[in-house]
Amino acid sequence: MSIRRIVREIFKAAVAAAIVLASAAPVFAAESKAPSRQEDKSADKFGWRAREVLKLVNIERAKHGRRPLRLAERCQRQADKRAKEICGRFNHKGAFSGLGHYRNMGENIAKGQKTPGAVVRAWMRSKGHRANILSPRYTDLGVGFHRGRWVQTFGGGSRVRIVRRGRRRR
C-alpha cells in the first residue's frame, strides 16, 4: 500500500469521525438546561420533554437514513397513560390498548433517566429499543414521562379501517 493511499484512508476516517461527532453534539447539548416549572406548565399539548425526545430520535433516524417521526396526539395520550401505569408495574403489559387503529405499533419504556438526552442514549444502547427507534414502519410518536418513568409509543403504517357489516338476512 502506498503512502498516498494510506493518507487518503486516514483522511476519509477523520472526515467520517467529524461527521459523527458533529451530529452527536445536539444529544449532549440537550442535557444542558431543562425549562423551569413555569415553562413546563405553559407548554403545548406535547410538552418540552416530548419535543426534545422527538428531536433526538429524529437525529438518530437521520444518521441511519430513516424518515423523521412526528408527534401524534393518539400516541401521546397513550404514552402519558402508560407512563403513569408503569409506576406501579414496570412492564409492557397493556402497551397497545389505545393504539388499535395503527397497523404497526411499538413501545419503549425506561426508568431513572433525568433528561431526554439520557433516556434516548439509553434506548439507543439497547438492541430492541434501538430497533423501534430506527424502524421504517413507524411514522408517529408519543412520549410520556411520569415520576422518572419514560414511555415512547410508536405507530405507523396504513390506518386500519373498521368496517361494520349489516346482518345477513335469510
Side-chain angles (χ1 to χ4, degrees):
M1 195 182 247
S2 71
I3 301 259
R4 184 177 271 177
R5 192 170 191 177
I6 292 171
V7 170
R8 192 178 316 138
E9 292 299 318
I10 291 171
F11 179 74
K12 283 181 186 178
V15 169
I19 290 171
V20 168
L21 288 174
S23 62
V27 172
F28 298 106
E31 296 191 38
S32 59
K33 181 184 175 230
S36 68
R37 286 184 181 250
Q38 187 70 11
E39 292 174 50
D40 192 26
K41 288 179 182 175
S42 64
D44 62 328
K45 62 187 167 193
F46 296 113
W48 70 270
R49 286 183 185 96
R51 293 215 178 272
E52 191 62 30
V53 168
L54 174 73
K55 181 179 93 177
L56 298 172
V57 162
N58 282 337
I59 288 169
E60 294 296 334
R61 288 175 66 87
K63 287 181 197 175
H64 294 86
R66 303 290 190 263
R67 290 185 178 179
L69 297 175
R70 66 175 184 252
L71 289 174
E73 282 188 58
R74 186 172 294 241
C75 288
Q76 185 64 37
R77 282 193 306 270
Q78 180 66 10
D80 288 336
K81 176 183 159 195
R82 290 284 298 140
K84 291 174 184 157
E85 286 175 1
I86 65 172
C87 282
R89 280 195 171 171
F90 190 75
N91 62 30
H92 290 284
K93 188 175 181 179
F96 307 118
S97 61
L99 294 174
H101 76 293
Y102 286 108
R103 180 167 292 157
N104 301 309
M105 298 170 277
E107 177 185 75
N108 286 346
I109 60 176
K111 67 178 176 179
Q113 293 80 6
K114 299 196 184 304
T115 64
V119 77
V120 170
R121 270 198 312 280
W123 280 326
M124 289 304 290
R125 289 184 188 132
S126 162
K127 186 178 178 183
H129 294 113
R130 180 184 180 90
N132 274 341
I133 289 171
L134 299 179
S135 174
R137 300 179 309 153
Y138 302 131
T139 56
D140 296 347
L141 176 70
V143 179
F145 177 82
H146 186 72
R147 294 185 183 174
R149 274 50 169 199
W150 295 85
V151 176
Q152 279 183 315
T153 53
F154 300 91
S158 308
R159 297 189 183 230
V160 178
R161 282 201 267 166
I162 299 172
V163 179
R164 296 182 184 223
R165 298 178 185 192
R167 293 184 186 174
R168 288 187 178 176
R169 294 186 183 190
R170 293 185 188 189

